[in-house]
């Protein structure tokens, strides 16, 4: 009998196949509670066939699989299940074992699901669901009776469970905040411009640790950008981030409760980032780490066989040894005055299972598999202890553990019922465009043709030779625009500043020189944005203006009768209300970056897509999912709900476009009526290169909206226009 545990999380799917029949064991096995092996890189997908478990000591994990689902759990899950089970069949058939134990692919499998996205799929597939905290607790109860505290970090959640003899486990989870989770680590890797697999290697080389706010990606982004601008090394930032994650988990979940040894660490980040294990070991500070505490099961810890203890010691992994060695180095000075036998051994209070990333999946399998292994006969939905009325055979098993499948049936599990139909989804919104033809016609109506790009060098030299430079030094990007004497665009540049506005602008000027040559005379220059004063002083630019004036100037040049300007940048947004050609009122976002450019880009990357690809998918989505107007952190739960209900990735992408505009309209602008915007609306900022966001604004307000061919450069364009106007006034 096999039990398959499937953990469908916010970003990944994990599967574990557990055998409860000793005949299914292979010859060379290792204990289920064997320590972790070193793994420094997070794989995009893996399937393991190494059996884990002693035939004499109960269940064995004979296969595991791990994959990022990129918001398509049913598609990825189907491929994973087929690949894993097919590999198991082939592997077991090839073993040289007695004929009565041959694996013929006819064995029965029961299936249970867990995970933050798993409940909807469990209901859809008609299989049991196990809450993930309960699943993790099941592994501890069955395999690690000496553990008193469990710490689990997942993709977008974290958990801490306190076990005490004779009491119900105290289970705690993070709320809607994703601070201190795998997603937080992913976001930091993105800010550093490295792959998440590089984080561990960087942190291992760190020399200093700096304070970083880990409560959410919005606030931490400010701290990290500040460190980058101070030229702090990526190594130190990576280590500081891992320290922040560990502090967040301990403070948010322990909340003053004593952390008693032993402590079991599980979850993908702990499995693939050894430096995170070191950070959590430093910050856990368990009470009396070397104290031997009674097992929760009383005598169970005492009857743990010497064989099992020896196997544990022999299986102590290199990563666990490195964890201990690394911490011992940090404590070396303190330990000089202590007897050698008093040095704290990290292995005395921390356990990292070999399958730590699969703990909830394994626990899900164990939770239902033990009912068969221990001879439970009561149906899951029965209140009676009598077995006389129970059916026999496969039906009897089904009444105990849920549906029973053959190997072949299990392979088709997601194929048969894994997909939702659009009619089954709640919370959908009208499509942004009904067809590709409608989208193309809409684009034709927006082509104003008032700006010129791509002038040749020969054409530029025939002009007067006077040019006007505008630069918008933003929080994450630097944009420059060069206009000729007639106000036409002859050069533009857009680049990420990586926390260094000075070098970014210098690089842009060098590229402009290479493109245009030596015959360019800068008659006037102007800066705006976060780096306005820095660049104006360092490069002796002529003028500097606030961002709102730069964007208003650009909008008025494009649309003279403009009544409302909306600019959405990477981390901020500005709403400018215009009356009789002058600014009447300005609204800007405060601390929250919800609805800004980084808001969509961050989620696109979390789901495995680039921003441009994500935007294209959104324009043609036919059933946009209503994600509401919550902030970046709280939006995680809405995305999970959408996936639970079977929303496709393009529907989620379109939902983000609606969410950006709803957040702006109802939280930033605080409109009482859309009439306040007038009838001549201009949108600016890199976010509006995503045409689905422009269209969402039109549908929600019922108004026509205009945008330029270069919305991301409008701040710099306004600066260049301002420089030209000021120079003309001074000379005439």
């Amino acid at each position: 009998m096999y039990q398959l545990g499937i953990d469908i999380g916010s970003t990944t799917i994990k599967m574990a196949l557990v055998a409860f029949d000793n005949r299914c064991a292979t010859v060379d096995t290792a204990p289920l509670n064997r320590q972790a092996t070193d793994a420094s890189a997070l794989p995009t997908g893996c399937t393991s066939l190494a059996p884990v478990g002693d035939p004499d000591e109960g269940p064995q994990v004979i296969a595991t699989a791990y994959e990022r689902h990129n918001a398509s759990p049913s598609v990825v899950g189907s491929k994973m299940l087929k690949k894993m089970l097919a590999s198991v069949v082939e592997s077991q058939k090839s073993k040289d074992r007695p004929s009565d134990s041959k694996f013929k692919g006819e064995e029965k499998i029961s299936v249970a699901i867990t995970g933050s996205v798993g409940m909807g799929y469990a209901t859809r597939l008609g299989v049991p669901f196990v809450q993930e905290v309960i699943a993790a607790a099941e592994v501890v109860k069955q395999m690690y009776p000496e553990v008193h505290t469990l710490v689990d970090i997942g993709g977008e959640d974290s958990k801490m469970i306190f076990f005490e003899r004779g009491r119900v486990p105290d289970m705690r989870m993070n709320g809607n905040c994703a601070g201190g989770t795998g997603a937080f680590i992913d976001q930091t890797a993105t800010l550093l411009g490295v792959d998440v697999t590089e984080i561990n290697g960087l942190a291992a080389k760190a020399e200093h640790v700096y304070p970083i706010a880990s409560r959410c990606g919005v606030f931490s982004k400010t701290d990290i950008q500040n460190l980058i601008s101070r030229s702090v090394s990526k190594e130190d930032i990576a280590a500081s981030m891992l320290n922040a994650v560990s502090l967040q988990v301990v403070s948010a979940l322990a909340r003053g409760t004593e952390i008693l040894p032993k402590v079991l660490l599980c979850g993908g980040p702990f499995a693939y980032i050894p430096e995170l294990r070191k950070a959590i070991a430093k910050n856990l500070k368990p009470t009396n780490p070397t104290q031997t505490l009674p097992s929760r099961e009383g005598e169970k810890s005492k009857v743990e066989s010497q064989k099992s203890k020896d196997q544990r010691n022999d299986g102590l992994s290199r990563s666990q040894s490195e964890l201990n060695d690394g911490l011992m180095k940090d404590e070396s000075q303190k330990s000089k005055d202590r007897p050698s036998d008093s040095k704290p051994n990290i292995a005395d209070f921390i356990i990292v299972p070999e399958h730590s990333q699969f703990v909830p999946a394994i626990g899900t399998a164990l939770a239902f598999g033990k009912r068969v292994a221990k001879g439970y006969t009561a149906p899951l939905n029965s209140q009676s202890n009598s077995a006389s009325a129970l059916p026999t055979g496969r039906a009897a098993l089904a009444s105990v553990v849920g549906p029973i499948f053959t190997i072949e049936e299990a392979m088709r599990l997601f194929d048969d019922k894994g997909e939702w139909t659009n009619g089954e989804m709640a919370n959908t919104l009208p499509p942004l465009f009904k067809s590709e033809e409608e989208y193309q016609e809409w684009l034709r109506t927006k082509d104003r043709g008032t700006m010129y790009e791509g002038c040749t060098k020969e054409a530029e030299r025939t002009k007067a030779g006077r040019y006007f430079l505008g630069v918008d030094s933003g929080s994450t990007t630097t944009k420059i625009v060069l206009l000729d004497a007639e106000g036409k665009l002859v050069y533009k540049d857009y680049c990420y500043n990586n926390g260094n506005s000075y070098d970014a602008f210098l690089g842009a000027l060098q590229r402009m020189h290479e493109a245009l040559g030596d015959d360019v005379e800068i008659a006037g220059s102007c800066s705006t944005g976060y780096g306005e004063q820095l660049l104006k002083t360092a490069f002796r630019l002529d003028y500097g203006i606030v961002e709102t004036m730069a964007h208003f100037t650009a909008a008025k040049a494009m649309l003279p009768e403009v009544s409302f300007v909306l600019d959405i940048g990477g981390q901020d947004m500005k709403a400018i209300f215009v009356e009789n050609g002058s600014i009447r009122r300005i609204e800007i976002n405060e601390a929250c970056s919800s609805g800004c450019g980084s808001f969509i880009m961050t989620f696109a990357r979390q789901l495995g897509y680039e921003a441009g690809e994500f935007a294209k998918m959104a324009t043609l989505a036919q059933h946009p999912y209503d994600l509401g107007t919550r902030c970046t952190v709280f939006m995680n739960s809405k995305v999970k709900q959408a996936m639970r209900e079977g929303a496709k990735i393009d529907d989620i992408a379109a939902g983000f476009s609606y969410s950006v505009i709803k957040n702006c309209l109802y939280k930033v602008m605080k409109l009482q009526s859309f009439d306040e915007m007038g009838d001549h609306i201009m949108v600016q900022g890199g976010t509006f290169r995503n045409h689905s966001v422009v269209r969402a604004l039109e549908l929600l307000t019922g108004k026509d909206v205009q945008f330029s061919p270069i919305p991301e450069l409008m701040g710099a364009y306004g600066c260049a226009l301002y420089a030209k106007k000021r120079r003309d006034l001074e000379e005439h």
Side-chain angles (χ1 to χ4, degrees):
M1 178 67 189
Y2 293 85
Q3 177 68 37
L4 177 63
I6 302 176
D7 178 5
I8 308 179
S10 58
T11 58
T12 61
I13 299 179
K14 287 79 67 177
M15 297 181 180
L17 187 64
V18 178
F20 290 88
D21 185 342
N22 289 343
R23 294 177 306 164
C24 299
T26 56
V27 177
D28 297 321
T29 61
L32 180 60
N33 52 13
R34 185 173 63 187
Q35 298 293 317
T37 54
D38 185 34
S40 61
L42 180 64
T44 56
C46 61
T47 299
S48 170
L49 295 177
V52 179
D54 192 313
D56 297 328
E57 296 184 1
Q60 309 151 66
V61 179
I62 66 169
T64 56
Y66 179 105
E67 194 85 40
R68 286 183 179 262
H69 57 62
N70 296 328
S72 300
S74 59
V75 175
V76 175
S78 177
K79 294 178 181 178
M80 289 176 65
L81 200 52
K82 288 183 175 69
K83 180 180 179 181
M84 184 180 76
L85 293 180
S87 298
V88 168
V89 171
E90 291 303 315
S91 175
Q92 297 290 347
K93 280 183 177 180
S94 66
K95 300 297 181 182
D96 184 17
R97 296 176 296 166
S99 60
D100 63 341
S101 68
K102 283 287 186 182
F103 188 101
K104 300 178 181 179
E106 299 174 357
E107 283 75 2
K108 302 299 185 290
I109 296 180
S110 63
V111 180
I113 292 179
T114 189
S116 57
V117 183
M119 182 177 290
Y121 282 89
T123 302
R124 181 73 180 174
L125 299 174
V127 299
F129 176 78
V130 181
Q131 210 283 333
E132 54 191 312
V133 178
I134 295 175
E138 194 65 44
V139 172
V140 172
K141 286 191 287 186
Q142 291 198 44
M143 309 311 305
Y144 297 93
E146 74 275 30
V147 166
H148 284 261
T149 309
L150 178 145
V151 181
D152 179 12
I153 296 181
E156 292 178 357
D157 52 30
S158 55
K159 319 169 192 66
M160 189 173 287
I161 307 176
F162 299 93
F163 299 90
E164 188 173 347
R165 183 181 176 185
R167 294 187 179 183
V168 175
D170 181 2
M171 304 180 182
R172 304 178 183 181
M173 293 185 68
N174 65 323
N176 290 316
C177 179
T181 67
F184 182 82
I185 297 173
D186 285 346
Q187 289 179 10
T188 303
T190 300
L191 285 175
L192 293 178
V194 300
D195 190 88
V196 69
T197 58
E198 300 177 58
I199 289 294
N200 186 73
L202 291 172
K205 301 175 183 177
E207 297 180 357
H208 304 283
V209 173
Y210 297 86
I212 291 178
S214 63
R215 48 182 170 160
C216 81
V218 175
F219 296 106
S220 69
K221 197 169 188 176
T222 302
D223 287 347
I224 293 172
Q225 289 284 7
N226 180 49
L227 292 176
I228 293 173
S229 66
R230 290 162 52 191
S231 299
V232 173
S233 69
K234 292 183 178 181
E235 289 80 2
D236 287 350
I237 294 176
S240 301
M241 177 270 297
L242 295 180
N243 181 65
V245 167
S246 64
L247 286 172
Q248 173 70 11
V249 170
V250 172
S251 62
L253 299 181
R255 296 193 291 273
T257 300
E258 284 188 324
I259 299 174
L260 300 175
K262 288 186 174 183
V263 179
L264 186 143
L265 306 180
C266 63
F270 282 133
Y272 300 117
I273 307 178
E275 290 299 314
L276 180 59
R277 304 176 206 161
K278 293 182 182 180
I280 201 78
K282 290 179 181 178
N283 292 308
L284 276 176
K285 299 178 182 177
T287 302
N288 298 323
T290 59
Q291 178 185 7
T292 301
L293 297 175
S295 168
R296 305 179 316 279
E297 303 296 332
E299 292 300 316
K300 186 170 182 179
S301 65
K302 296 180 182 180
V303 301
E304 183 183 20
S305 65
Q306 184 62 41
K307 172 185 174 183
S308 178
K309 291 181 180 179
D310 292 341
Q311 286 172 326
R312 279 172 164 241
N313 292 332
D314 292 341
L316 184 63
S317 68
R318 183 162 59 88
S319 63
Q320 187 94 4
S321 298
E322 289 174 351
L323 167 64
N324 190 52
D325 292 344
L327 290 172
M328 291 303 294
K329 285 181 181 180
D330 295 339
E331 297 294 328
S332 60
Q333 186 61 41
K334 297 178 183 178
S335 66
K336 286 182 179 179
D337 299 328
R338 297 197 303 254
S340 60
D341 58 359
S342 68
K343 293 180 181 179
N345 188 346
I346 304 306
D348 286 340
F349 71 90
I350 284 185
I351 296 174
V352 184
E354 180 182 24
H355 289 273
S356 63
Q357 69 271 44
F358 297 104
V359 163
I362 294 172
T364 301
L366 293 176
F368 283 86
K370 71 176 182 179
R371 299 178 66 89
V372 176
K374 292 187 177 182
Y376 291 177
T377 56
L380 294 176
N381 57 357
S382 172
Q383 300 298 320
S384 173
N385 292 325
S386 173
S388 59
L390 291 178
T392 60
R394 183 170 174 175
L397 281 175
S399 69
V400 177
V401 297
I404 304 298
F405 304 91
T406 64
I407 294 288
E408 184 178 347
E409 290 170 342
M411 287 184 179
R412 301 194 305 267
L413 182 66
F414 284 93
D415 298 345
D416 295 338
K417 297 180 180 179
E419 291 290 346
W420 273 252
T421 62
N422 294 321
E424 293 177 302
M425 285 196 303
N427 305 318
T428 58
L429 297 165
L432 298 167
F433 298 99
K434 296 179 180 178
S435 65
E436 176 69 27
E437 291 73 21
E438 182 182 14
Y439 174 48
Q440 294 301 327
E441 178 58 32
W442 179 81
L443 286 177
R444 282 190 286 272
T445 66
K446 303 300 179 183
D447 185 9
R448 297 181 63 85
T450 58
M451 299 185 72
Y452 298 85
E453 301 182 62
C455 294
T456 65
K457 185 177 296 186
E458 289 73 20
E460 294 163 9
R461 288 175 177 172
T462 63
K463 298 181 172 58
R466 288 163 54 86
Y467 296 90
F468 302 91
L469 178 68
V471 54
D472 181 359
S473 179
S475 58
T476 58
T477 59
T478 296
K479 291 82 66 176
I480 71 170
V481 160
L482 189 68
L483 303 182
D484 64 15
E486 298 177 3
K488 295 179 180 178
L489 180 65
V490 295
Y491 183 81
K492 59 185 177 65
D493 189 276
Y494 181 102
C495 65
Y496 288 96
N497 56 35
N498 297 317
N500 193 325
S501 300
Y502 179 92
D503 284 349
F505 182 49
L506 179 60
L509 291 178
Q510 290 171 341
R511 289 189 292 273
M512 184 177 70
H513 178 263
E514 292 173 1
L516 303 182
D518 297 326
D519 297 336
V520 175
E521 176 194 348
I522 304 298
S525 56
C526 179
S527 62
T528 191
Y530 288 89
E532 173 200 337
Q533 286 299 324
L534 170 65
L535 299 188
K536 182 175 182 290
T537 302
F539 291 89
R540 298 182 181 181
L541 304 182
D542 298 310
Y543 315 105
I545 57 174
V546 297
E547 292 178 78
T548 49
M549 287 305 301
H551 286 281
F552 172 60
T553 300
K556 197 169 183 180
M558 291 286 296
L559 189 65
E561 64 273 25
V562 63
S563 60
F564 176 77
V565 181
L566 177 61
D567 170 57
I568 301 182
Q571 295 184 38
D572 56 17
M573 61 175 66
K574 298 173 282 290
I576 305 172
F577 297 83
V578 181
E579 185 174 342
N580 297 324
S582 300
I583 296 177
R584 176 173 59 88
R585 167 176 140 227
I586 298 173
E587 297 286 353
I588 61 174
N589 66 319
E590 298 175 357
C592 181
S593 69
S594 173
C596 298
S598 58
F599 176 77
I600 295 180
M601 183 174 68
T602 296
F603 275 98
R605 290 182 176 175
Q606 285 181 11
L607 295 173
Y609 296 88
E610 290 300 320
E613 184 181 8
F614 204 61
K616 181 62 176 177
M617 296 168 67
T619 57
L620 300 178
Q622 293 304 298
H623 302 276
Y625 193 91
D626 189 356
L627 296 171
T629 60
R630 309 190 81 180
C631 81
T632 305
V633 176
F634 294 104
M635 189 63 72
N636 288 318
S637 60
K638 293 295 291 184
V639 173
K640 292 177 189 176
Q641 179 181 336
M643 289 191 289
R644 281 196 295 269
E645 294 184 12
K648 296 180 180 179
I649 187 64
D650 54 348
D651 296 325
I652 294 175
F656 275 115
S657 299
Y658 271 110
S659 179
V660 164
I661 297 303
K662 285 184 175 182
N663 180 75
C664 182
L665 293 176
Y666 305 131
K667 290 188 175 181
V668 175
M669 293 163 53
K670 305 178 181 69
L671 292 179
Q672 296 182 356
S673 170
F674 293 140
D675 291 338
E676 294 181 52
M677 301 168 64
D679 296 322
H680 304 285
I681 300 170
M682 171 66 69
V683 293
Q684 303 174 0
T687 301
F688 288 108
R689 289 200 70 88
N690 183 343
H691 294 159
S692 65
V693 178
V694 182
R695 182 60 172 167
L697 178 59
E698 290 188 332
L699 292 179
L700 289 171
T701 62
K703 294 181 177 292
D704 181 63
V705 175
Q706 297 296 327
F707 58 92
S708 83
I710 51 169
E712 73 280 15
L713 299 174
M714 292 297 278
Y717 178 63
C719 278
L721 289 174
Y722 180 84
K724 180 178 181 302
K725 180 179 179 180
R726 283 290 302 270
R727 185 63 73 198
D728 288 343
L729 289 174
E730 291 170 2
E731 293 178 352
H732 296 88

